[in-house]
Structure formats: C-alpha cells, structure tokens
Amino acid sequence: MTHDQAASARIAAELRSRIIQGTLEEIAEEFGVSRLPIRETLRILESSGLVTLVASTGAWVSTLDLDECREIYLMRERLEPLLLRMAMPTHTAESFIEFEACAQRVEVAIEPGEFLERDHDFHRALMAGPTTIRLHDTVDHLWNLTHYYRRQLLAPNAGTRRSRREDIFAEHRMILRAVVDGDIESAEAMMALHIRHTRKLVELYPEVFTHSGAGGYKRSR
C-alpha cells in the first residue's frame, strides 16, 4: 500500500465516523495530507453511499426523500434475513460470544453516532459469512444511505418522537436467541420484523426528510 493509499484509508475511516456522528468538516489540513488522498477518500465514500460528489462544488452527505428511504428499508427487510440465513451455518461458539459482546456494546452506547456504529457492528457480525461478499456489500451500501435519517431520529432534540432504543435492545436479544439456537426460520422472521419496525418509525416522522443540515466538504480549487 502506498503512502497516499494508506492516508486515504485512514481519512475514509475518520470521515465515515464523522458523517455518522454528524460532524463532517474540512479535514485536509487537520490530517496533514495533500488534496490527492482527500479526493480518493471522497470517491471511496461516494461508492459506499455515504456522500454525493457534486462537480466543481464538493462532497455532501447523501440525502433521500421519504419514498427513497422507505424503498431502501423494504429492500433491507428482504435482503438481511437472506444474508443471515446464508451466514448462520458458518457461526461457531466463538461467534456467539462475539455476538453477545456486540449486543452489550449497543446497549451501553449513549451518543447517537456511537449507538449507530455499535448497532451496525451487531448486524454485520451476525450476517458475516465467507460466501456472501456481494450481498454483504449491497446491504452495507443500503445501511450507509439511511444512516443520516436514523441519526436524526436518535438526536437529543428529537422532542416527543417515540424512542426505539429499548425495542431495539429486545429485538436484538430475540434475534440472537434464534441464532444461538440455530433456528434459521425464526432468526429470519425476527430480523425482518426488526427492520420493519424501524421503517414504520421513520414513516411516522417525515419532517426529518426536510432537514437541511447535512454537512459537506468543499473542495479546494
């Protein structure tokens, strides 16, 4: 790996975290790198669905409307249970220990960005399998497209919006129980229901799709 490639990977990881945390900013000077790694990083993030590149303008956190977000959740409702089914035969006793640790990290996360990262870690761990690379990448892309709106629903200023946290914890535990028991049908059904519940919550609050605070990185000329 070249120096620029290493810098791009390092910046991509930090930018992804900042996007989920809602603190995307200009960082080329902060990282002490040239614009080349920044441009390469932005291309990586665009391919993952996290940002949208606008010619001669910069990169902006990807945005959706309600119909697009609903479509993505409907896709996840079908694809993630399938991915879980394909992964389950490869799980081991060591995997179950990892899944339990992931579930616990979700439950102790406080900040919205941290919660979303740990929640994603839990799902990724459950669905990881040696023969599901293409499907796994597709599901990851769908996650990245919707993270901004999930963060809006979890934000401290969400007011009277109904919280999903406790429900998420309980649903994770039910999915995990089915996975440990090797009950593929129940694990699939619970995973689909888990995603559907979040979709229904998103649909209750269409105002998050009119929020204009998505951050951006303006390219230097």
Side-chain angles (χ1 to χ4, degrees):
M1 180 180 291
T2 67
H3 174 75
D4 281 347
Q5 288 172 330
S8 294
R10 178 167 55 97
I11 297 167
E14 177 64 17
L15 268 176
R16 182 184 188 281
S17 177
R18 291 193 185 191
I19 289 170
I20 292 176
Q21 294 284 349
T23 58
L24 181 63
E25 347 176 295
E26 295 188 28
I27 63 169
E29 292 184 7
E30 177 183 339
F31 276 81
V33 298
S34 67
R35 290 194 296 272
L36 180 60
I38 294 292
R39 287 196 295 268
E40 177 60 28
T41 297
L42 293 174
R43 284 194 289 269
I44 293 170
L45 294 175
E46 181 184 39
S47 68
S48 71
L50 279 167
V51 302
T52 298
L53 299 184
V54 181
S56 303
T57 302
W60 305 92
V61 176
S62 297
T63 58
L64 306 168
D65 60 29
L66 176 57
D67 287 339
E68 290 172 320
C69 193
R70 181 186 293 113
E71 179 183 1
I72 289 168
Y73 269 98
L74 287 169
M75 292 169 69
R76 284 186 54 199
E77 283 176 41
R78 283 133 179 96
L79 294 179
E80 289 188 38
L82 172 61
L83 187 52
L84 181 60
R85 167 179 281 274
M86 296 172 69
M88 279 181 63
T90 70
H91 293 340
T92 64
E94 289 74 19
S95 301
F96 301 150
I97 295 172
E98 178 189 359
F99 302 156
E100 173 64 28
C102 287
Q104 291 179 2
R105 285 193 286 270
V106 177
E107 292 168 11
V108 300
I110 298 174
E111 295 299 321
E114 180 190 8
F115 177 86
L116 291 177
E117 288 272 29
R118 301 293 79 80
D119 183 49
H120 196 186
D121 289 345
F122 176 77
H123 281 250
R124 284 176 60 92
L126 286 179
M127 299 184 297
T131 62
T132 57
I133 296 173
R134 290 183 181 274
L135 183 54
H136 205 284
D137 286 348
T138 299
V139 168
D140 251 3
H141 186 80
L142 296 176
W143 267 80
N144 288 335
L145 288 171
T146 59
H147 80 88
Y148 176 77
Y149 302 98
R150 292 192 65 211
R151 181 169 60 78
Q152 292 302 308
L153 291 173
L154 292 167
N157 62 350
T160 58
R161 293 175 191 156
R162 182 169 62 82
S163 173
R164 266 279 287 153
R165 283 180 180 261
E166 294 301 323
D167 291 344
I168 286 171
F169 301 157
E171 290 163 11
H172 281 182
R173 290 294 173 177
M174 287 187 283
I175 295 168
L176 184 54
R177 181 72 268 166
V179 169
V180 171
D181 289 346
D183 185 347
I184 292 177
E185 285 71 24
S186 293
E188 281 189 294
M190 278 307 309
M191 180 64 81
L193 186 64
H194 176 54
I195 298 166
R196 188 174 309 128
H197 283 167
T198 298
R199 171 170 61 82
K200 292 296 185 181
L201 184 64
V202 168
E203 291 171 347
L204 283 175
Y205 301 105
E207 67 271 16
V208 302
F209 297 92
T210 62
H211 184 77
S212 59
Y217 171 84
K218 185 177 290 186
R219 290 175 177 169
S220 300
R221 292 182 180 276

